[in-house]
Amino acid sequence: MCGLPTGVHDRDVRFRLPDPVLNSPEQHRGEDSWLSDPDPNQATLMQIPYISPFVRALLPVKLEGGHELRFGVWIAIHPNDLQHACKVWNAPEYTDLKLTGYLANKIQP
């Protein structure tokens, strides 16, 4: 290994916005945009008109030596799924939440 403390190898990286939102002119500040928290760094759900609803997810990447890099990414989901996700996000039913979508952040290899 490189000799650095283990904490340096186990990292969390959080994407502030989904790429389609980041690349849009108004980003998350457009009319009728909704975020579960005013700060996109803290938000876990968002709906951006004419783009998509999104939910946060963790994308773990296993590294040598038992270490892990975790990306806080955005997943674009179907609008109907956003309502269900909002309802159960902070409820016990969250453990059974399953959503289908696509990765909305570009991750470099």
Side-chain angles (χ1 to χ4, degrees), residues 8-28:
V8 175
H9 295 291
D10 294 323
R11 307 244 353 219
D12 291 323
V13 177
R14 178 176 270 217
F15 284 90
R16 185 170 189 270
L17 293 169
D19 290 351
V21 176
L22 185 63
N23 296 329
S24 69
E26 295 178 319
Q27 295 188 349
H28 63 287

Side-chain angles (χ1 to χ4, degrees), residues 31-50:
E31 188 175 334
D32 295 329
S33 290
W34 174 83
L35 284 76
S36 60
D37 188 283
D39 179 357
N41 290 317
Q42 300 302 316
T44 54
L45 304 154
M46 75 170 61
Q47 167 70 55
I48 307 299
Y50 309 109

Side-chain angles (χ1 to χ4, degrees), residues 1 7 9 14 29-30 34 41-42 52 67 74 76 80 92:
M1 303 305 255
H9 295 291
R14 178 176 270 217
R29 295 175 293 274
W34 174 83
N41 290 317
Q42 300 302 316
S52 183
H67 301 290
W74 288 99
N80 294 342

